[in-house]
Amino acid sequence: MLFSSNSEDKSFPPDIYIVSYSLSVGYRKHEETMFRSVLLVALLVGFFFEEVTPKHFRGGYMSYRPTGVPNQITLSYRLAFKHNFFSDPDRIGNEDGEDCTLEDKEMGYPIKTGAEFIARYGPTNINHTLFDPAYYRCTDIMDNGPAEFQWTSGLNESVVTLPEYGSPIWTILYDACCWVDLINYEAPRTWILGMTVNLTSRSDLGGRPNSSPYVDGIPLKDVTRQCTTIIHINARDPDGDRVKCRWTRRGPTECENKCANPKKKYFDIDEESCNITVKVPRRTNNFEPGLYVVAVVIEDFMEGSDDPLSKIPYQFLVNIQERDVDCGRVVTLAGDGCYDVPMRINPPFRIDLHAMTTNPAVPIAYIGTVTKPGMTVSSLIDDGNGHYHVEVSFVPPQHKDGTVEQLCYQAVDEEGLAGAELCAELYYGGEVPRPIPLISTPSSNSTILVPFLNQEWTIYFTTKIMLNDQTVEFLYDNGTVAHSELLAMRVNTTVGDDDPYFVTFTTPDFPMTANTSYTIKLDKGAVVGTSGCHLPSEAAQWRFTTEIGHNVQTINITSIPDSSVHCSPTFMVAYIDNTFLPALNPSILTLNDPDCYGTVHNETHLAIGTMYGKCGTEAIVNEDQTRVSMINNIFLPREGSFVYGNVSTRSDAYRIRFNCSISTRRVGYVEFNTNHTIESAQINATGDFNFSFKLFPDESYRRPYKVWDFPIDVQQSARLYFEARTYEPNMAPFLEECVATPTGDPGHESLQYTVIRDGCPIDVTVRFEDAPNPARVRFSIESFSFIGYNLQSSIFLHCKMRNCNPGNGSCDTDCPDTESNISKRSVVSHIRLVGEDDPVETGREYAYVEFLERGKRGNGVM
């Protein structure tokens, strides 16, 4: 109710009071009506209708999002009313009507409206009152120009619970009377804001219900008849659904009687783009300038579907005036258009909204805004040369973290000509990614030197990031570019999946020099943030120095060794005499694809293999198409070259060409048989399963050890943290067996200690750690040493893995329930614990721990 039902109220003469109260049925407020005389009512309606009808509404919208509690939503709405419709200088907190004052805006007083919000259950038309009356908090007052075009606007956001009647679909209504005087809508001009709420669980959202689209905009938009104007409805959908806009349709949830739609000959809507074109033909007869109402319904659709999930209302006014002006004179400037708003208190976040005029003789009068509670808008600032701006500052409310809102604005000059309305997106909780040089590789810490053969780099950032197809540069001290690398979605660049605060990339074609200083340079936008705006990262650069490194070996291969090839219908394996590589890791052998490398086959031979079609294998079919030749090349470094971290360059390498000629009827591109007699060589050589196996310093699993960190110096019985990972989609790694050996040969027969078998712990100190997703298995184990080996000897941990499907039971284990079935190290004959209770070693001694990576280099593998 906009008029008090108190019979003592003397603000209107008794007869007028009766008439206005009888008209209040238009509010859906069914209070008792007092009639002195039916005849009097009939006579007075004609005389007083235009004076006492509350012509004040200027539009609004509604939207919703689920809270996570069943049948509960956060209901958001904006309402706009005629400014100074109710003026009472003695009131405090505006208890009497929809209009607001500066005091209301600054103090955040709730302002009562004359209508209620109801939820209507569709199948039975059951009405449930959500709140009566509805309130809002004033955010904006537009008091420029003639009084008939002034307005106030405000928002409210409330958590409401909808009764459960069976169907999860409701209609929420806010309807009353009346709009201001309109050209295209006859009295009494009632309004209806109707929204369809659909709380059906969506499988594509992980069972979460649908969120409606959202929108915002200035309630009164100025248009000049002589100009063709496009009004863009800034509708967005938080679920990423397709959004369409249409006119309202006649019915109890959108409009009654005559729908408040603009005349089609002046207004046209493109439902897909949500653009409304306003164009008044020059020869139009009987054109009336003034206010037109636009009532739109915004709907969201799943991809490939024409059935709307939900619908929200958006209604506003368009003021069409006769003006002989330059249509493009006023320009509302877009600025950044999207802002990640960090959740900080000091200093307040600030956004500058800019506009310009091409004719400085007609200056910008104001930049109108629709803001959010707590935002402060400065006075118009003249920047000179026809440019202007206002400053919007605010402290983001903590409860907004993770949400998105809009800030809309429009510039108007002194002759009333308006520029386009623009809306900026505000993503609360986002920040610009900033590199962290100190913990990155290379580090800005001058005491941390980088081995000159290093090829792997990791840059950490302050926020979650994603790749942006930009380059990173390495500079000499004189500023010239030594090397540049594209950070793109390819094999040599990765971003952490569950910990996306870093990017890792490799530089196989960048030969550095030892004891030399370089600068790594990241331009602005090397990566972007993951929040809605995808803001570009800050630019940064820092120096680092190289060293020879303790893990560098010199190759002494003087000739190509003997080799043989085994061919099968699905793969081929080359066996190479290892007498020329007695002290080097076999992974320096690589195929055409350098991520495919060798492994130990037995005491006398190494093995390197691939599936047909993998690792750069070339297939050549003979003329009669009866046989196909599968050709690849083995690369091994020549004498005098360096190997660092089992990686060597190909600038000077031997090449062994091997070929399998197979009947075309026998070639099959299938995965390896994991029970094959040379399974280890095949899987580890080809990397078809794409595993990684890493060691981490602690239980945070934040940053794995790098190549140059090995061997790792750890105290006896210190806990070591390992992670096995698969890169196959929808699969999980299964640890068939993890064994420790005192040498790099996983088949070491004399000394071998099993710590995990069939996914179950065998060693008593094995502890499985929490992993962020099924693609990773994490475990920790206490370090130990072998009898007969010096404590300074290395221990190698080898894990044999396979892919399993978590959905079909292939990842299930049948582990012992009690520790009685788990091996104690003290009863393993060839293992001796070295700890504080040992009479010889006191625990102050140290052991070195190394591990071999099984699988493919790349995808973050060290």
Side-chain angles (χ1 to χ4, degrees):
M1 289 294 295
L2 295 181
F3 296 98
S4 172
S5 60
N6 187 343
S7 60
E8 298 300 320
D9 191 337
K10 304 300 182 181
S11 57
F12 294 93
D15 292 338
I16 297 177
Y17 174 80
I18 294 171
V19 175
S20 65
Y21 206 81
S22 67
L23 291 174
S24 67
V25 174
Y27 278 78
R28 308 297 186 269
K29 304 288 285 184
H30 305 294
E31 285 92 347
E32 178 184 357
T33 304
M34 298 179 291
F35 293 91
R36 290 190 178 180
S37 165
V38 175
L39 179 61
L40 177 61
V41 171
L43 291 173
L44 290 175
V45 167
F47 282 100
F48 299 108
F49 183 81
E50 288 300 320
E51 294 185 28
V52 300
T53 301
K55 299 176 293 184
H56 61 303
F57 190 61
R58 291 188 181 270
Y61 69 80
M62 277 191 279
S63 64
Y64 78 89
R65 65 180 185 272
T67 65
V69 177
N71 292 333
Q72 190 179 86
I73 62 171
T74 297
L75 171 63
S76 302
Y77 58 87
R78 179 182 289 278
L79 303 173
F81 300 96
K82 183 177 179 180
H83 184 40
N84 288 329
F85 181 77
F86 291 96
S87 57
D88 181 359
D90 296 326
R91 67 174 174 78
I92 297 178
N94 201 336
E95 294 292 334
D96 301 317
E98 287 91 342
D99 190 38
C100 74
T101 66
L102 286 174
E103 182 184 10
D104 297 324
K105 181 177 182 297
E106 293 172 358
M107 300 302 295
Y109 290 132
I111 301 172
K112 181 173 64 176
T113 74
E116 63 184 357
F117 274 83
I118 66 169
R120 180 173 296 167
Y121 180 61
T124 58
N125 281 332
I126 297 175
N127 286 347
H128 174 75
T129 300
L130 298 179
F131 24 85
D132 180 17
Y135 286 82
Y136 77 97
R137 296 183 184 275
C138 181
T139 59
D140 302 278
I141 300 174
M142 176 53 62
D143 54 5
N144 290 281
E148 61 181 314
F149 301 135
Q150 296 178 6
W151 50 265
T152 64
S153 178
L155 293 167
N156 191 24
E157 190 172 84
S158 299
V159 175
V160 298
T161 300
L162 302 173
E164 186 173 357
Y165 287 119
S167 172
I169 300 177
W170 287 80
T171 298
I172 295 182
L173 297 171
Y174 176 76
D175 57 340
C177 187
C178 296
W179 283 91
V180 295
D181 290 340
L182 300 169
I183 304 298
N184 63 326
Y185 194 22
E186 298 177 357
R189 304 187 186 92
T190 58
W191 78 76
I192 296 177
L193 294 179
M195 176 174 66
T196 298
V197 176
N198 186 347
L199 296 181
T200 303
S201 297
R202 292 179 54 173
S203 59
D204 62 322
L205 299 179
R208 179 173 58 81
N210 183 68
S211 295
S212 76
Y214 62 90
V215 71
D216 210 344
I218 293 174
L220 193 153
K221 309 176 196 299
D222 290 295
V223 169
T224 299
R225 176 189 177 180
Q226 285 76 6
C227 306
T228 298
T229 302
I230 295 178
I231 299 173
H232 179 61
I233 299 174
N234 296 281
R236 301 288 187 270
D237 190 272
D239 300 326
D241 298 322
R242 181 166 53 96
V243 173
K244 296 175 63 175
C245 304
R246 61 171 174 82
W247 301 129
T248 54
R249 298 168 183 158
R250 181 170 299 180
T253 63
E254 293 187 18
C255 69
E256 291 187 11
N257 301 320
K258 287 188 176 181
C259 289
N261 288 330
K263 294 183 178 181
K264 291 186 177 179
K265 61 182 179 181
Y266 301 161
F267 296 81
D268 180 66
I269 189 169
D270 185 319
E271 295 189 354
E272 294 291 338
S273 67
C274 289
N275 285 337
I276 296 176
T277 302
V278 185
K279 182 178 182 180
V280 181
R282 295 191 179 189
R283 297 183 180 181
T284 301
N285 297 324
N286 301 320
F287 167 72
E288 295 181 69
L291 295 176
Y292 291 76
V293 63
V294 175
V296 172
V297 170
I298 302 170
E299 298 171 316
D300 56 336
F301 302 82
M302 292 183 66
E303 193 63 36
S305 173
D306 293 326
D307 298 323
L309 296 165
S310 62
K311 68 179 184 182
I312 67 169
Y314 179 40
Q315 300 177 13
F316 55 90
L317 299 177
V318 175
N319 175 28
I320 305 180
Q321 294 295 318
E322 295 269 13
R323 298 187 184 95
D324 186 13
V325 297
D326 176 8
C327 294
R329 187 174 68 202
V330 178
V331 181
T332 309
L333 299 175
D336 290 336
C338 191
Y339 298 88
D340 277 331
V341 182
M343 304 303 293
R344 63 170 183 248
I345 297 177
N346 189 30
F349 191 74
R350 197 185 91 179
I351 300 173
D352 292 346
L353 307 178
H354 292 265
M356 63 168 288
T357 175
T358 60
N359 183 3
V362 186
I364 300 295
Y366 61 90
I367 298 178
T369 60
V370 282
T371 59
K372 303 297 183 280
M375 290 185 175
T376 301
V377 183
S378 71
S379 300
L380 185 68
I381 300 172
D382 186 346
D383 299 320
N385 297 322
H387 287 259
Y388 302 80
H389 79 276
V390 294
E391 298 173 353
V392 181
S393 59
F394 59 98
V395 174
Q398 292 301 312
H399 72 277
K400 292 289 186 181
D401 192 7
T403 64
V404 58
E405 292 182 328
Q406 292 180 325
L407 172 63
C408 300
Y409 57 105
Q410 182 183 44
V412 181
D413 70 11
E414 288 188 347
E415 293 183 356
L417 182 65
E421 178 190 29
L422 301 178
C423 293
E425 301 285 319
L426 308 180
Y427 288 86
Y428 291 99
E431 290 192 67
V432 174
R434 296 175 176 84
I436 311 177
L438 193 62
I439 64 172
S440 297
T441 302
S443 173
S444 60
N445 185 342
S446 59
T447 64
I448 300 179
L449 304 180
V450 176
F452 78 101
L453 287 178
N454 174 60
Q455 297 179 357
E456 182 175 291
W457 315 90
T458 300
I459 310 299
Y460 279 84
F461 293 85
T462 55
T463 64
K464 296 180 179 180
I465 53 134
M466 56 194 299
L467 298 176
N468 193 35
D469 288 347
Q470 297 295 315
T471 58
V472 57
E473 293 181 334
F474 293 85
L475 308 178
Y476 294 115
D477 274 352
N478 62 8
T480 60
V481 177
H483 181 76
S484 63
E485 192 72 32
L486 180 66
L487 299 182
M489 290 302 295
R490 63 187 201 185
V491 70
N492 74 324
T493 307
T494 59
V495 174
D497 292 339
D498 53 286
D499 187 19
Y501 289 85
F502 65 88
V503 58
T504 296
F505 61 96
T506 59
T507 53
D509 301 321
F510 176 32
M512 294 187 295
T513 304
N515 304 316
T516 303
S517 293
Y518 296 87
T519 294
I520 184 170
K521 178 184 178 184
L522 282 75
D523 289 332
K524 180 179 180 180
V527 297
V528 295
T530 59
S531 65
C533 293
H534 303 309
L535 292 182
S537 60
E538 284 189 350
Q541 64 181 44
W542 60 95
R543 297 177 77 248
F544 67 95
T545 302
T546 60
E547 65 172 350
I548 293 179
H550 67 271
N551 203 18
V552 176
Q553 294 178 288
T554 302
I555 300 296
N556 294 310
I557 304 173
T558 58
S559 62
I560 298 178
D562 295 333
S563 59
S564 61
V565 178
H566 168 77
C567 301
S568 80
T570 58
F571 61 89
M572 58 184 179
V573 180
Y575 299 99
I576 301 170
D577 184 355
N578 74 343
T579 56
F580 72 100
L581 279 177
L584 293 180
N585 193 294
S587 65
I588 66 169
L589 276 70
T590 62
L591 297 179
N592 285 340
D593 182 349
D595 288 330
C596 301
Y597 56 93
T599 187
V600 174
H601 175 58
N602 55 33
E603 293 183 357
T604 61
H605 284 80
L606 305 178
I608 186 168
T610 175
M611 279 183 59
Y612 300 139
K614 302 289 187 178
C615 296
T617 302
E618 181 183 6
I620 300 177
V621 182
N622 64 1
E623 291 184 358
D624 60 4
Q625 297 187 350
T626 59
R627 302 191 69 80
V628 58
S629 294
M630 300 294 182
I631 302 172
N632 211 314
N633 295 282
I634 302 172
F635 294 88
L636 60 152
R638 289 178 179 268
E639 181 181 19
S641 57
F642 293 101
V643 172
Y644 167 66
N646 305 326
V647 179
S648 62
T649 64
R650 294 186 175 184
S651 58
D652 188 21
Y654 289 113
R655 184 177 70 172
I656 303 174
R657 183 182 178 92
F658 66 111
N659 175 12
C660 280
S661 178
I662 304 295
S663 170
T664 54
R665 291 176 297 175
R666 296 191 60 201
V667 177
Y669 292 92
V670 297
E671 298 293 339
F672 289 148
N673 179 355
T674 57
N675 294 319
H676 196 277
T677 56
I678 55 172
E679 163 198 340
S680 174
Q682 296 156 2
I683 294 177
N684 294 332
T686 65
D688 288 317
F689 293 109
N690 211 2
F691 294 111
S692 68
F693 188 44
K694 298 184 179 183
L695 175 63
F696 292 79
D698 53 46
E699 67 275 10
S700 70
Y701 286 88
R702 180 75 178 181
R703 182 184 183 188
Y705 283 114
K706 297 299 180 184
V707 173
W708 57 81
D709 294 327
F710 289 95
I712 307 300
D713 191 14
V714 297
Q715 190 172 9
Q716 188 68 30
S717 299
R719 187 158 287 275
L720 308 174
Y721 295 86
F722 294 90
E723 178 187 83
R725 180 179 180 181
T726 178
Y727 294 91
E728 293 293 329
N730 305 315
M731 302 296 283
F734 187 89
L735 300 180
E736 290 190 343
E737 187 176 56
C738 291
V739 297
T741 64
T743 72
D745 181 4
H748 197 287
E749 296 180 356
S750 60
L751 285 180
Q752 187 180 95
Y753 178 53
T754 301
V755 296
I756 293 176
R757 181 181 293 125
D758 296 328
C760 299
I762 301 300
D763 181 78
V764 69
T765 69
V766 171
R767 183 174 71 202
F768 284 98
E769 310 288 346
D770 292 335
N773 54 56
R776 303 168 189 250
V777 171
R778 291 174 172 175
F779 68 92
S780 62
I781 186 173
E782 290 183 3
S783 63
F784 59 91
S785 62
F786 285 95
I787 290 177
Y789 281 79
N790 191 307
L791 284 178
Q792 275 65 46
S793 298
S794 297
I795 291 181
F796 296 79
L797 183 64
H798 316 265
C799 278
K800 177 181 174 184
M801 293 176 276
R802 65 174 171 84
N803 276 324
C804 64
N805 188 337
N808 63 12
S810 61
C811 300
D812 295 345
T813 59
D814 185 18
C815 300
D817 294 330
T818 64
E819 289 190 3
S820 61
N821 294 318
I822 299 179
S823 297
K824 304 295 191 295
R825 290 175 178 172
S826 58
V827 298
V828 179
S829 60
H830 59 275
I831 298 295
R832 181 181 66 172
L833 282 178
V834 179
E836 293 181 355
D837 57 347
D838 190 279
V840 179
E841 286 82 11
T842 65
R844 293 189 298 270
E845 300 290 342
Y846 292 84
Y848 290 93
V849 177
E850 289 184 345
F851 70 97
L852 291 180
E853 298 173 286
R854 322 302 301 165
K856 188 176 181 180
R857 296 191 190 109
N859 294 300
V861 180
M862 293 187 299

